[in-house]
Amino acid sequence: MTTDRITGTKTSASTGLRAVVRIEGLRKSFGSLEVLKGVDLEVDRGEVVVILGPSGSGKSTLLRCVNLLEKPTAGTIYFEDSCITDSKVNINHIREKVGMVFQSFNLFPHLSARANVALAPRKVLKRSHEEADRIAIEQLEKVGLGDRVEYLPAQLSGGQQQRVAIARALAMDPHVMLFDEATSALDPELVRGVLDVMRSLAEAGMTMIVVTHEMGFAREVADRVIFMDDGIIVEQGSPTEVFDAPQHERTKDFLGHIS
Amino acid sequence: MTTRPTAKDLRHMLAWVVGLVCVLALLATPAQGLTTDRTTAAPNQDGGRNVIGGEPTRITWVGTVEEGEEVTGITLLFPAGCELSDDSYVKVQEMDMSDPQHPLHNERSATIDLTAARLIVELDEPIPAGNLLYVEIYKFCLPPVSGQVIITGTYTDASGASHDLTPSPPIDTIALTSTQRLINDLSEQEWVKAWNSVKFLNIFVNPLWIVASIPSLFFGWLRSLGLVLLGFPLAIPVGLGISFLRMSRFRLLRFVSSIYVNIIRGTPLFLQIYIAFFGLPLLGIKPNDYLLGVLVLAMNSSAYLAEIFRAGIQSIHKGQFEAASSLGMNGVQTMFFVIIPQTVRRVIPTMTSEFILLFKDTSLLAAVGVMEQMMFAKTLVNTAGNMTPYVIAACYYLIVTLPLTRIISVFEKRLAASEGREAPPGDKDKMTKRVGLFKTIAPLSATDSEPLDATTPERHSSA
Ligand SMILES: Nc1ncnc2c1ncn2[C@@H]1O[C@H](COP(=O)(O)OP(=O)(O)OP(=O)(O)O)[C@@H](O)[C@H]1O
Ligand SMILES: [Mg+2]
């Protein structure tokens, strides 16, 4: 899989603060079920954080709290210099700068790849038709889909769809990218193409929070690995620390099951 | 004086002459002993109110015998061009007014002499003063052109003297239409006679009534189509608005809109039509019948469409809303650029069924006298004493409904094809898990590839 290097995504970030995302005491309950039980996390600019953990540990919920797809029950979340848990903040403005990639792609099925990518730049960033199309084609070329711009999602493979979804998020020029098991829905032979795109994105300096079960990717690309279980961060550190010398029983257990 | 009379002088003179003639006429004519009350010809147009010249019709002449008079005979003169048919006949009746509250109809025996030019009736017994004389000429043909026919004549009093009748008011006739001519030709055909000798064929598919119904019901069909073509487009935005209210954040809006939807869907359209058509006049509001029909249909359909739209919107995968939100799109943008375009493709089949149902339900408006297909057919059936106009009306409904039904199944197939590959391959169990989760959030949600019919409330036709 050949993928152009993705570059230039950091230019728009210019605040003095190092942390792009800062989470303090985050709690989230669904009814009586408490899913996040107090999470503190800081992600620096250009940092790639990989979150691991067993199913149901709250990884997706944590990620979805960062762009308020889930409303936190308690705690505060800062994005750059704004406190997004403050009800006065216009969350749509924050979301423009927080890209998200879903396990199930969630492409707009009625729109071509190009139109999928161009929609938000046009409607949200108020770019002209031509400008939005130019951005869309550029982003699709970067994820290796320059020859598929007019295809409908249903005409693309799962891997190609997921790369369109990544291009769609990147077209908004985000300051951080959230990946929620971006490759879990893919057939094994399609996983690599998507991981290649994510890897070059990381190399280009994009700030990323990645939930994945791809241990190889985590070890290779992550600046920091976080292990979550039962709604809390159990352990974190560099890939070598977490993978080769896990401190906690639960981490050892989890990594033992995986490999 | 040698000056020539001016136009003004002439006009003056003319007025004087006319005035003089009138006065003389009044003096010369004694008070009428038999006054012409009415002269009519029965409509003989299939499904119409007109009198066709050259076609057998029934002429009715009615006059009153005045005070102090007796009438022993009457002669009616017909204009040139009238014709007798093979079985023309005359009926003479007297209306006995001695008890004005309960007038009596008596058949009167008389000597009758009927030709195409005149009718002479000599009564065996004179008709006394105060009573009415009825003369009916059956199977009589007026001149075969469009125009006016005036019947004049004389009457004979007890002394045997003959007096002029006041001329009848004019009877309007129309010329034979090509349809009527075709019907006439057909009725002569042997195969038509043979066909109609079979009772079932005669009653339900009588060729003569088929020919008569097709042009006449075409206009009823246009009116029915008009009702639904005005009502349905009106119902779409209203229904969409109500579906939004049904999904509103605010409880009050949800409550009010659900009451609207439930009342309308929970009661027969027939009843709603009655309430609107008989209720509004009591409030002093008297809108145009056709317009009110359109409004009632639109109101009714909007409730069904609201539920179709709601089911359609809620059948859109939650991920679509999340993807749009995660790109910074607001609620309105998400609705208009992401959700509704996808909903439209999904609801088109159910919307088309709703259109078909509404089109058929326009027939209910016949009950309150809105002129549409059923009313046209009913009027025809009443004059025909034959069911064929109903069968033709059925065909007219089918002209619309059958192709639309075909279109629905084409749409459904195409929809299934376009969404068939939407689910990511190899994600079967994750998909079901996701659906399970959403059931608790949106009871009407369905997976992307599931056909909408499973979740769409079906309308049961109210008639
Ligand atoms: N909208 C919701 N309503 C109710 N419960 C929810 C909701 N979303 C998540 N949960 C519950 O919260 C818990 C954590 O879910 P979450 O999706 O965050 O886990 P996860 O770590 O991402 O798991 P997986 O690896 O399976 O994706 C689960 O028990 C899940 O059932
Ligand atoms: Mg998850």
Side-chain angles (χ1 to χ4, degrees), chain B residues 47-284:
Chain B
R49 304 248 127 253
N50 295 308
V51 179
I52 300 170
E55 287 290 299
T57 177
R58 188 187 71 238
I59 310 285
T60 308
W61 186 97
V62 185
T64 309
V65 181
E66 297 298 335
E67 220 43 57
E69 297 275 350
E70 276 188 343
V71 170
T72 59
I74 182 169
T75 302
L76 296 178
L77 301 173
F78 311 123
C82 290
E83 295 230 29
L84 298 183
S85 65
D86 294 344
D87 38 10
S88 302
Y89 64 98
V90 176
K91 228 160 110 180
V92 180
Q93 286 180 303
E94 170 201 39
M95 177 105 77
D96 188 341
M97 301 297 284
S98 28
D99 179 2
Q101 300 298 311
H102 306 283
L104 288 174
H105 258 284
N106 305 318
E107 188 125 357
R108 283 306 207 98
S109 60
T111 316
I112 285 166
D113 181 6
L114 177 66
T115 70
R118 51 121 189 88
L119 164 69
I120 301 172
V121 175
E122 282 166 27
L123 290 154
D124 293 357
E125 299 283 332
I127 294 179
N131 287 2
L132 271 59
L133 171 62
Y134 270 75
V135 180
E136 287 175 310
I137 312 159
Y138 287 82
K139 310 278 169 99
F140 187 81
C141 304
L142 294 173
V145 288
S146 84
Q148 293 193 324
V149 174
I150 295 175
I151 295 174
T152 56
T154 57
Y155 69 93
T156 319
D157 64 19
S159 66
S162 169
H163 306 277
D164 283 346
L165 285 170
T166 39
S168 74
I171 299 168
D172 293 318
T173 58
I174 60 168
L176 194 60
T177 61
S178 53
T179 312
Q180 194 64 45
R181 198 167 298 129
L182 178 59
I183 293 172
N184 294 349
D185 292 349
L186 270 179
S187 63
E188 303 296 318
Q189 306 267 319
E190 284 312 314
W191 72 266
V192 174
K193 287 177 184 161
W195 177 282
N196 281 347
S197 68
V198 182
K199 197 170 178 189
F200 177 85
L201 297 180
N202 185 346
I203 289 178
F204 291 99
V205 279
N206 186 323
L208 306 179
W209 282 107
I210 291 176
V211 174
S213 304
I214 286 174
S216 145
L217 289 186
F218 176 72
F219 296 98
W221 179 72
L222 285 186
R223 286 175 149 264
S224 286
L225 209 55
L227 282 169
V228 75
L229 287 181
L230 291 172
F232 197 69
L234 200 60
I236 291 174
V238 177
L240 193 62
I242 293 167
S243 76
F244 286 156
L245 294 184
R246 288 274 278 156
M247 295 179 288
S248 162
R249 246 186 309 229
F250 305 105
R251 230 168 106 187
L252 183 71
L253 294 182
R254 284 204 308 271
F255 180 71
V256 170
S257 55
S258 84
I259 285 185
Y260 177 86
V261 166
N262 285 326
I263 288 182
I264 287 185
R265 299 200 326 144
T267 56
L269 173 56
F270 199 52
L271 184 75
Q272 294 162 17
I273 288 173
Y274 265 48
I275 290 177
F277 276 78
F278 300 128
L280 289 182
L282 292 183
L283 292 177

Side-chain angles (χ1 to χ4, degrees), chain A residues 30 33 35 53-62 70 103 180-181 213, chain B residues 318 433 437 441:
Chain A
F30 292 107
L33 176 71
V35 175
S55 181
S57 56
K59 307 181 295 292
S60 297
T61 308
L62 173 60
E70 302 292 354
Q103 178 179 347
D180 189 4
E181 302 196 36
H213 293 299
Chain B
K318 195 181 159 215
K433 169 186 147 197
L437 189 65
I441 303 158

Side-chain angles (χ1 to χ4, degrees), chain B residues 47 49 209 213 216-217 220 270 274 363-391 393 397:
Chain B
R49 304 248 127 253
W209 282 107
S213 304
S216 145
L217 289 186
F270 199 52
Y274 265 48
S363 60
L364 295 173
L365 289 167
V368 289
V370 175
M371 282 309 282
E372 45 63 71
Q373 184 70 301
M374 265 310 283
M375 276 292 268
F376 273 66
K378 212 158 97 183
T379 317
L380 265 186
V381 163
N382 286 346
T383 32
N386 188 292
M387 288 291 119
T388 311
Y390 282 153
V391 175
Y397 282 110

Side-chain angles (χ1 to χ4, degrees), chain A residues 64 67 69 92 95 98 102-110 119-120 123-124 126 154-156 168 172 185, chain B residues 317-320 322-330 333 337-338 341-342 418 421-422 424-427 430 434:
Chain A
R64 292 158 59 84
N67 66 357
L69 283 182
N92 290 327
R95 283 170 178 162
V98 180
F102 302 87
Q103 178 179 347
S104 50
F105 326 146
N106 296 345
L107 289 183
F108 307 134
H110 60 299
L119 184 65
K123 301 301 174 190
V124 180
K126 310 290 179 199
Q155 298 165 325
L156 297 171
R168 182 174 68 177
M172 296 296 286
Chain B
H317 195 284
K318 195 181 159 215
Q320 294 290 311
E322 293 182 347
S325 298
S326 76
L327 291 165
M329 294 172 75
N330 62 32
Q333 291 167 336
F337 304 120
V338 176
Q342 295 183 55
S418 74
R421 273 170 35 98
E422 231 177 75
D427 192 26
K430 302 232 165 155
R434 209 159 52 194

